[in-house]
Amino acid sequence: MIPESHPRYRSLVVREHLVAMVCKGIVTHEGLIAHGRGEAFDYLLGEVSTESAIAACRLAARMICSAERPVISVNGNTAALAADEVAALQAASGARVEVNLFHRTDERIRKITAYLESHGVDVLSGVPVRNIPLAHDRALCLKEGIFSADLILVPLEDGDRCEALCAMGKEVITIDLNPLSRTARTATLTIVDELTRALPMITNACREINECPEMLPPTRPINNQYYLTAALNAIQERLCNAMD
Ligand code: PTJ
């Protein structure tokens, strides 16, 4: 039992939840390691959304709402941490949701799909085809989902799929607390923020766009480097202040 008064209460509750999700076969052991890395970067960012991350979320919403076939790609960690938030974003943006896993088994796909559905997400189903030029199982995707998408939101991604999707001519938005990761540097747009903080901001911005449909799509190219540099500057500033 974690006491609510514990200074790291939220972090400990999330960890406990992820461990429970490992027991249910939704998150992998590797997913726990990925979460730990994310926590470390979030610590450096002060566990708050920076101004540049908030701006990146608004830009992401404009990109998603102006895309023809946007898809949200969901892995085990994203499902476990943010099933409700994915459902809300799907409702606000009309994006399709596809489960795409690095540690792929049919059983995990089934379990994650059922878990998302129990939280109100409409999950694409079908027979996956090895359509992304990758040596591992992330190559598998649905023709009516990621394969035919023009824009894909890929939270907590591993770098080589991001690169492959971009090489296929797709726009990729990622949410990644590590501004130095290969994914962060290869994506069309990286939101350097924690998943459960970023997704509701994108959803709210999509709702605003729905109320003001004449909003124009953002101009290209997207300056991803601006957002990465801003995140690194925020970390640097925090580290400098910690030494004062
Ligand atoms: O469920 P699977 O089989 O598809 O596997 C999913 C994981 C996450 C294990 C897999 O995609 C993976 O290994 O990812 P990486 O390469 O460890 O990258 C995950 C990135 O997400 C890292 O850069 C972390 O810093 C970042 N991250 C972790 N937790 C969060 C996060 N970013 C935002 N919010 C988080 N909560």
Side-chain angles (χ1 to χ4, degrees):
M1 181 70 185
I2 303 160
E4 276 185 48
S5 56
H6 193 289
R8 302 291 306 158
Y9 176 74
R10 189 180 137 68
S11 161
L12 296 178
V13 168
V14 171
R15 286 180 181 188
E16 203 168 65
H17 172 64
L18 285 175
V19 170
M21 289 287 123
V22 171
C23 298
K24 288 189 175 165
I26 286 176
V27 172
T28 57
H29 291 107
E30 291 84 349
L32 296 181
I33 297 170
H35 181 76
R37 180 158 52 185
E39 274 193 330
F41 275 99
D42 206 17
Y43 220 98
L44 294 175
L45 284 162
E47 297 176 310
V48 289
S49 303
T50 61
E51 282 305 313
S52 59
I54 296 167
C57 286
R58 290 208 196 96
L59 177 56
R62 289 174 66 199
M63 291 168 73
I64 295 168
C65 289
S66 57
E68 276 178 26
R69 293 179 68 87
V71 169
I72 306 168
S73 175
V74 175
N75 62 18
N77 285 45
T78 302
L81 291 171
D84 288 336
E85 289 83 352
V86 170
L89 178 56
Q90 179 176 47
S93 67
R96 293 167 177 221
V97 171
E98 179 172 340
V99 177
N100 185 277
L101 304 178
F102 186 68
H103 308 279
R104 187 183 181 110
T105 63
D106 288 345
E107 194 189 353
R108 275 191 81 216
I109 294 273
R110 265 198 310 277
K111 284 183 175 173
I112 293 169
T113 300
Y115 184 73
L116 289 168
E117 285 174 347
S118 73
H119 285 259
V121 182
D122 184 9
V123 184
L124 278 176
S125 61
V127 181
V129 187
R130 210 163 270 280
N131 266 327
I132 307 173
L134 289 171
H136 53 76
D137 277 350
R138 274 208 143 163
L140 290 166
C141 67
L142 296 173
K143 205 169 169 209
E144 61 282 12
I146 289 171
F147 181 65
S148 54
D150 55 342
L151 179 144
I152 306 156
L153 173 65
V154 282
L156 280 76
E157 174 66 349
D158 63 312
D160 54 350
R161 186 172 69 131
C162 180
E163 212 168 337
L165 291 172
C166 289
M168 287 168 81
K170 300 174 189 303
E171 292 199 317
V172 176
I173 301 173
T174 187
I175 303 170
D176 190 336
L177 280 159
N178 177 3
L180 297 168
S181 77
R182 209 151 55 86
T183 304
R185 287 185 285 120
T186 344
T188 314
L189 175 67
T190 300
I191 299 164
V192 184
D193 202 357
E194 204 282 321
L195 177 73
T196 60
R197 293 198 301 266
L199 286 177
M201 288 196 281
I202 306 173
T203 302
N204 286 337
C206 287
R207 288 183 185 137
E208 281 170 27
I209 293 168
N210 292 340
E211 281 165 23
C212 172
E214 64 275 12
M215 190 175 286
L216 292 172
T219 47
R220 286 359 189 233
I222 302 295
N223 188 355
N224 190 40
Q225 192 54 49
Y226 165 80
Y227 296 97
L228 297 182
T229 305
L232 288 169
N233 286 341
I235 290 174
Q236 192 177 20
E237 201 177 315
R238 221 176 114 72
L239 288 174
C240 288
N241 289 341
M243 298 208 283
D244 286 345

